[in-house]
Amino acid sequence: MQCQECGERSATLHYTKIINGEKTEFHLCESCAREKGEQMPGIDGSFSIHNLLSGLLNLDTSISEGQHQVHDETPSMGVRCPTCGLTYTQFSKIGRFGCSDCYQAFDDRLDPLFRRVHGHTSHRGKVPHRTGGRLKIRREVEQLKQDMSRRIENEEFEEAARIRDRIRSLQEKLAGQGG
Amino acid sequence: MSLKRFTEHALSEWMRGKGPQSDIVISSRVRVARNLSGLPFPMLATSAQSSQVVRRVEEALYAAKELPVLKEAELIRMDDLSELEKRVLVEKHLISPQLAEESRHGAVVLSKDEAISIMINEEDHIRIQVLYPGFQPQEAWRIANQLDDWFEKHLTYAFSEQTGYLTSCPTNVGTGIRASVMVHLPALAITKQLSRLFPAITQVGLAVRGIYGEGSEALGNLYQVSNQVTLGQREEEIIDKLASVVKQMIQHEQSARRRLAEGTPIQLEDRLYRSYGVLSQARVISTKEAMERLSDLRLGIDMGILSDIDANVMNELIVMTQPGFLQQYAQERLDSQERDIRRAVMIRERLHHEGTEDEQ
């Protein structure tokens, strides 16, 4: 069954509202239900991983509000993913991202969440093979740049020059592979 | 009929129990979550986008058929299965309840031996799962990793340098890996040591739960131990940590069994024999009682108290006496009373046909 609001996604939320004896049926997708500001029946009371998560997310908000009272929290809560349209507020309620671009859109608010759940904020594991070659080179370039500045600070200019040449050749390699 | 093969052929490889440490470890599983770049996650995907995901995986699968492990694999769409057939797949741990009940354009790729199941359009676009008997999480990861590499040749994953593989739920981001081991801990339960063991396990970042996943009751002293952290550690570190904790659990269970065996009190021996008696004679039995009795039976076999019974009986029967399976076997819908009767019949038959290869 299609969602009666957007007519695009499948309806996952089905419920009947009875007001003054008048029955109205609703068939909505998760996203439109959020948009309409409807309460998700049965979800709030349940004890799912997503509820726990949204608890963590809301906790983050209250903590950051306490710490940075200069910042106005409201606009940032309303940040919207330009690709799928999910807002940060929706994300913090559902505990799930709408698409991979949400990670970018909510970027400045995710680190505390990741730290809480995983104890870390950056990936150290496997890298896809096809794109991995370039990523590996970029990681090496970053490392070499740090080395170079350290050498310069220590006035080890000869060594720094050698590292600079190495960085150049790696960057040419990257450019040669197309961007 | 290939569908019949998957849903009616009762035993998956992992239930045969021929793996390392299979006296304590029932099975090892590794699941890897992946999403395709450029498409919204299943929760927000349109029907057309979801069916595109299935199509793309199907094409990649076609190319991946060169892989020996996927040679006779098949893609099965949830829409083509009856409620009962889906339920059987859930009970065999080959798909999740979420894929069975809530997915749109949900599908699963199953290898012939059912060790590999790849769920499509569950919470993430792709979830590669490898399920092996006994204690072999490293081997399960090796195969899952290989499958992942293969798919990645044909599909572009949603990946970021900073955060790794991007998943629908932030609890899976990074490696997308969830490794779990199912253990049978009757001696630790009898000696009341579980309440001390479990908090320690949670403290090192692992989770313990019942065998049918989140929120399920721990029936038959069976527990699933799995990693919680997916970001900031390498896959091998995650697997090794889980393996080393499970190894310690195995040692604790073994020493508890040894201590029980040293001065096996007549009360314990009596309890194990009684359970055997109930299983081989009962006419009506609930899931809960069956699981508890089967746990006793298995402990009796492993401790050498009960002999001439195949140790796999428990592994097979815990799945085969589930509601979906019983109904599939009976070829009809059964209410809960009828299921309790059929369950007793199935257990009696299995115990009496001991040693024969074919239980049809």
Side-chain angles (χ1 to χ4, degrees):
Chain A
M1 182 182 285
Q2 300 294 89
C3 168
Q4 63 187 185
E5 276 295 300
C6 63
E8 212 176 71
R9 291 176 281 266
S10 313
T12 50
L13 187 69
H14 312 273
Y15 61 96
T16 312
K17 241 188 189 173
I18 305 173
I19 303 167
N20 296 332
E22 199 179 314
K23 256 164 94 170
T24 325
E25 274 188 17
F26 290 88
H27 306 281
L28 302 172
C29 69
E30 215 159 344
S31 162
C32 290
R34 293 283 166 212
E35 210 67 59
K36 279 177 74 99
E38 294 287 351
Q39 281 290 312
M40 299 278 277
I43 291 241
D44 284 312
S46 71
F47 196 58
S48 70
I49 183 84
H50 300 118
N51 282 99
L52 287 176
L53 265 181
S54 68
L56 287 178
L57 283 159
N58 292 329
L59 195 61
D60 284 337
T61 316
S62 56
I63 288 170
S64 56
E65 265 166 4
Q67 282 172 347
H68 315 280
Q69 286 189 336
V70 247
H71 293 298
D72 183 4
E73 289 295 316
T74 338
S76 136
M77 281 299 280
V79 173
R80 184 182 286 271
C81 170
T83 310
C84 71
L86 193 81
T87 65
Y88 184 81
T89 315
Q90 290 173 324
F91 165 68
S92 70
K93 279 188 191 143
I94 315 169
R96 278 183 287 172
F97 296 105
C99 72
S100 50
D101 293 340
C102 291
Y103 280 89
Q104 188 98 52
F106 309 146
D107 185 40
D108 54 340
R109 312 193 117 240
L110 295 177
D111 277 3
L113 168 70
F114 291 154
R115 202 167 286 119
R116 216 176 283 268
V117 175
H118 300 287
H120 304 271
T121 56
S122 49
H123 180 57
R124 282 184 50 231
K126 189 176 171 176
V127 168
H129 284 293
R130 271 188 298 135
T131 47
R134 296 172 50 75
L135 177 57
K136 262 184 225 153
I137 296 174
R138 277 206 296 274
R139 281 191 179 162
E140 196 181 338
V141 170
E142 278 162 31
Q143 185 63 47
L144 287 171
K145 277 183 180 165
Q146 284 175 18
D147 282 0
M148 187 168 70
S149 2
R150 206 174 318 123
R151 300 284 181 182
I152 293 170
E153 273 172 31
N154 296 342
E155 303 188 357
E156 299 169 53
F157 298 114
E158 249 175 73
E159 186 59 24
R162 272 194 333 123
I163 296 174
R164 183 202 58 209
D165 293 345
R166 170 94 182 117
I167 292 173
R168 261 188 208 152
S169 87
L170 284 174
Q171 280 171 335
E172 274 162 25
K173 207 164 146 190
L174 275 174
Q177 282 180 8
Chain B
M1 264 258 129
S2 63
L3 256 187
K4 274 198 163 146
R5 194 187 80 204
F6 286 122
T7 49
E8 288 186 338
H9 184 269
L11 304 177
S12 299
E13 208 48 42
W14 72 267
M15 288 179 244
R16 296 183 200 272
K18 301 277 191 287
Q21 308 279 358
S22 59
D23 56 334
I24 291 169
V25 181
I26 308 295
S27 63
S28 303
R29 168 164 52 170
V30 168
R31 178 272 274 159
V32 175
R34 297 288 185 256
N35 286 284
L36 301 184
S37 145
L39 285 171
F41 298 146
M43 177 182 81
L44 289 188
T46 62
S47 176
Q49 286 165 331
S50 296
S51 80
Q52 198 187 332
V53 173
V54 180
R55 209 165 47 242
R56 278 159 70 171
V57 175
E58 200 170 14
E59 283 163 13
L61 180 69
Y62 208 74
K65 283 210 168 167
E66 297 165 42
L67 261 188
V69 285
L70 282 183
K71 211 168 179 189
E72 286 173 75
E74 282 185 63
L75 186 139
I76 302 168
R77 288 175 171 79
M78 288 302 114
D79 293 341
D80 293 340
L81 297 180
S82 69
E83 288 307 310
L84 197 54
E85 287 167 327
K86 285 190 265 187
R87 186 157 188 178
V88 169
L89 292 178
V90 172
E91 288 170 0
K92 290 167 96 170
H93 297 264
L94 297 174
I95 64 172
S96 67
Q98 191 182 338
L99 186 81
E101 289 152 26
E102 292 163 31
S103 64
R104 281 157 285 161
H105 295 284
V108 63
V109 175
L110 281 182
S111 68
K112 197 184 175 191
D113 62 2
E114 300 184 345
I116 298 167
S117 63
I118 302 163
M119 291 192 279
I120 308 169
N121 285 328
E122 206 240 25
E123 186 179 284
D124 295 296
H125 292 146
I126 300 172
R127 287 194 163 186
I128 302 169
Q129 177 183 282
V130 179
L131 183 53
Y132 276 167
F135 184 50
Q136 33 189 349
Q138 272 102 349
E139 181 60 11
W141 159 243
R142 196 179 66 80
I143 299 296
N145 191 21
Q146 201 182 57
L147 287 165
D148 180 45
D149 287 348
W150 257 89
F151 275 110
E152 198 259 324
K153 281 186 189 167
H154 305 278
L155 302 167
T156 303
Y157 288 146
F159 178 86
S160 100
E161 287 181 28
Q162 174 62 27
T163 328
Y165 293 93
L166 305 176
T167 53
S168 170
C169 184
T171 54
N172 293 319
V173 77
T175 56
I177 199 173
R178 188 82 65 214
S180 67
V181 176
M182 198 202 291
V183 285
H184 182 222
L185 306 173
L188 287 175
I190 289 171
T191 54
K192 306 214 182 312
Q193 294 182 69
L194 291 177
S195 56
R196 280 194 297 131
L197 184 64
F198 288 168
I201 292 171
T202 1
Q203 269 186 353
V204 296
L206 301 177
V208 187
R209 51 190 160 217
I211 61 164
Y212 280 93
E214 256 170 63
S216 67
E217 219 183 320
L219 289 172
N221 300 313
L222 290 165
Y223 295 92
Q224 258 186 106
V225 189
S226 60
N227 69 296
Q228 291 294 84
V229 171
T230 58
L231 180 67
Q233 295 178 1
R234 288 185 306 109
E235 290 82 355
E236 288 76 13
E237 291 171 336
I238 291 170
I239 304 274
D240 288 349
K241 180 170 152 191
L242 175 72
S244 83
V245 169
V246 171
K247 250 183 220 160
Q248 292 175 53
M249 292 172 82
I250 294 171
Q251 283 163 7
H252 283 301
E253 172 67 20
Q254 278 167 339
S255 78
R257 285 183 189 187
R258 267 197 303 275
R259 248 172 290 138
L260 277 181
E262 273 165 19
T264 308
I266 189 76
Q267 287 82 357
L268 175 66
E269 207 177 318
D270 178 65
R271 170 175 150 180
L272 303 182
Y273 270 106
R274 274 170 186 274
S275 288
Y276 182 35
V278 168
L279 290 169
S280 53
Q281 299 301 332
R283 263 44 186 175
V284 181
I285 194 164
S286 68
T287 308
K288 191 167 184 281
E289 182 175 11
M291 298 281 273
E292 283 164 5
R293 302 289 186 187
L294 285 166
S295 172
D296 281 350
L297 185 73
R298 180 68 202 252
L299 178 65
I301 297 166
D302 290 338
M303 287 179 64
I305 295 171
L306 301 172
S307 51
D308 297 329
I309 311 167
D310 178 7
N312 283 341
V313 163
M314 182 182 78
N315 303 19
E316 293 173 19
L317 284 176
I318 51 173
V319 173
M320 287 167 66
T321 56
Q322 296 293 320
F325 242 101
L326 286 171
Q327 298 178 69
Q328 188 72 20
Y329 187 71
Q331 292 290 322
E332 59 179 312
R333 289 222 153 267
L334 304 170
D335 65 27
S336 99
Q337 258 185 335
E338 287 167 328
R339 289 202 298 266
D340 289 353
I341 296 169
R342 300 285 185 138
R343 183 175 298 113
V345 173
M346 180 178 277
I347 293 171
R348 288 206 312 275
E349 277 180 3
R350 181 64 186 87
L351 286 175
H352 294 157
H353 287 111
E354 251 309 286
T356 48
E357 272 292 283
D358 194 342
E359 300 96 32
Q360 299 306 310

